[in-house]
Amino acid sequence: MLWKNQVLASIRGNRLEGYINGEKIAPNRFISSSSFAETAAGFSQQIENPEYAIWRSQDQTLLSWLLSSITEGILSLVHSCTTSFDI
């Protein structure tokens, strides 16, 4: 319980709680970027969504922090988690 209270205080203080409670879900990784001419011709280009890049960066920073704060006994149970929500 002590670990949880310490971690939650830091997460809330950094306004990252949505990453661990499911409120802040990952945006689409790719979005269509098409000019008027491309749209008229039926073409569109997929580019990385800038919002996804921000989400991913914040999530991975939080994931790293969480993993580094967990004891080795617990770490073996969560080592395969790929997002902070998974933990």
Side-chain angles (χ1 to χ4, degrees):
M1 188 61 103
L2 177 62
W3 177 84
K4 180 180 177 181
N5 289 336
Q6 291 172 325
V7 168
L8 281 177
S10 184
I11 291 170
R12 288 177 182 144
N14 287 286
R15 305 176 81 188
L16 299 171
E17 193 172 11
Y19 287 86
I20 62 166
N21 68 14
E23 291 177 6
K24 181 83 172 171
I25 58 173
N28 291 331
R29 183 171 183 176
F30 296 101
I31 57 174
S32 293
S33 173
S34 52
S35 66
F36 177 75
E38 288 174 329
T39 302
F43 298 107
S44 67
Q45 180 182 4
Q46 294 289 308
I47 61 169
E48 186 172 46
N49 184 351
E51 291 181 21
Y52 175 82
I54 293 167
W55 176 90
R56 181 79 173 164
S57 175
Q58 290 177 333
D59 177 69
Q60 292 302 290
T61 298
L62 179 54
L63 175 63
S64 174
W65 184 78
L66 288 170
L67 290 173
S68 69
S69 70
I70 294 173
T71 62
E72 284 189 39
I74 302 298
L75 190 58
S76 65
L77 301 173
V78 297
H79 74 279
S80 63
C81 293
T82 59
T83 67
S84 56
F85 178 77
D86 294 340
I87 290 184

